Amino acid sequence: MRSIRGAVECTAFLLCSLTVFGCGSDSDSDSASEGDVPGTEAPSPSATSEGGNEMSDSPLLGPSSPENNRTAPGEFTIRFSTSAGDFNVVVHRDWAPNGADRLYNLVRAGFYDGARFFRVLDGFMAQFGINGDPQVSAVWRGAQIPDDPVVESNTRGRVTYAMGGPNTRTSQLFINYGNNSTLDQQGFSPLGEVVEGMEVVDRLYSGYGEGAPRGTGPDQGRIQFEGNAYLEADYPELDYIIEARLVDGEDD
């Protein structure tokens, strides 16, 4: 088992164990060994933001505004148009109400447009959800939502928030490639599932492997502080979200 210690944003590195690797198990057995976690990590202290002030009026810079805290419909569909193709996710609010509300509002605001699939581990999961603009990332890092009880399982195609410990979810999500039901008992609560285009998710670029410091893939801290400029320069093959839009479930 390969494991590293990580922490949620603005939390000391030894707060919680973030085991991060993918295993290529058969789909009818657990793809993630006990303890494997799609984690969020603290930004690198040495990283510096390269964001300017061009987004100072963006609604994405106000996580606490009423517009960014609407209650989601009971069920809604999101179409992710990506560099690898399109896929649709159906979100069920009764699976994870807090998570569904957050995702609904982030999609409405265009948060995921341009975001990279920065951690794609064959047989395990594909992780995304750090905004490409460092200013936006900075304000959402502290906008954590309470945990939801786990009522569904992390099986293939299920969509779940990454986290670094209790009540630390913000915007990062992952899509399960296999049966990762061992994540259920660790508090990872699925909120939706890919209902169309899972073959697109399967072909997301995974050549960079695990992220730094364990692997040679992207450093989450640098993504937070440097945004897409860092990823485009050092990891140009990453697939990305062109846009994520509500297909249905949008309010008037």
Side-chain angles (χ1 to χ4, degrees), residues 194-205:
V194 177
V195 296
E196 183 178 347
M198 190 62 193
E199 70 279 2
V200 173
V201 180
D202 285 337
R203 64 173 176 257
L204 294 172
Y205 186 78

Side-chain angles (χ1 to χ4, degrees), residues 1-3 19-23 33 36-37 119 121 124 210:
M1 178 179 298
R2 297 177 288 169
S3 58
T19 314
V20 286
F21 79 102
C23 21
S33 301
D36 295 348
V37 173
R119 208 164 144 242
L121 305 179
F124 185 23
E210 182 56 273

Side-chain angles (χ1 to χ4, degrees), residues 110-242:
F111 179 92
Y112 294 103
D113 297 0
R116 268 52 180 174
F117 294 93
F118 64 86
R119 208 164 144 242
V120 181
L121 305 179
D122 290 334
F124 185 23
M125 58 92 203
Q127 187 170 340
F128 65 99
I130 299 178
N131 188 272
D133 186 288
Q135 289 188 83
V136 176
S137 294
V139 298
W140 286 93
R141 277 202 300 275
Q144 299 169 345
I145 58 174
D147 289 340
D148 287 303
V150 178
V151 299
E152 294 291 333
S153 186
N154 283 277
T155 53
R156 176 170 166 79
R158 293 285 171 84
V159 180
T160 307
Y161 279 92
M163 62 181 183
N167 303 309
T168 59
R169 299 178 301 168
T170 56
S171 63
Q172 292 190 47
L173 300 162
F174 65 95
I175 303 170
N176 290 283
Y177 277 137
N179 179 11
N180 295 323
S181 59
T182 54
L183 296 176
D184 302 349
Q185 57 193 302
Q186 299 177 55
F188 288 86
S189 178
L191 68 156
E193 57 191 336
V194 177
V195 296
E196 183 178 347
M198 190 62 193
E199 70 279 2
V200 173
V201 180
D202 285 337
R203 64 173 176 257
L204 294 172
Y205 186 78
S206 61
Y208 296 122
E210 182 56 273
R214 179 67 178 179
T216 59
D219 182 315
Q220 287 192 40
R222 290 193 63 183
I223 304 172
Q224 295 277 6
F225 275 100
E226 300 176 44
N228 281 348
Y230 158 62
L231 295 176
E232 290 168 359
D234 291 5
Y235 300 95
E237 299 301 317
L238 290 175
D239 280 304
Y240 59 92
I241 297 168
I242 299 170

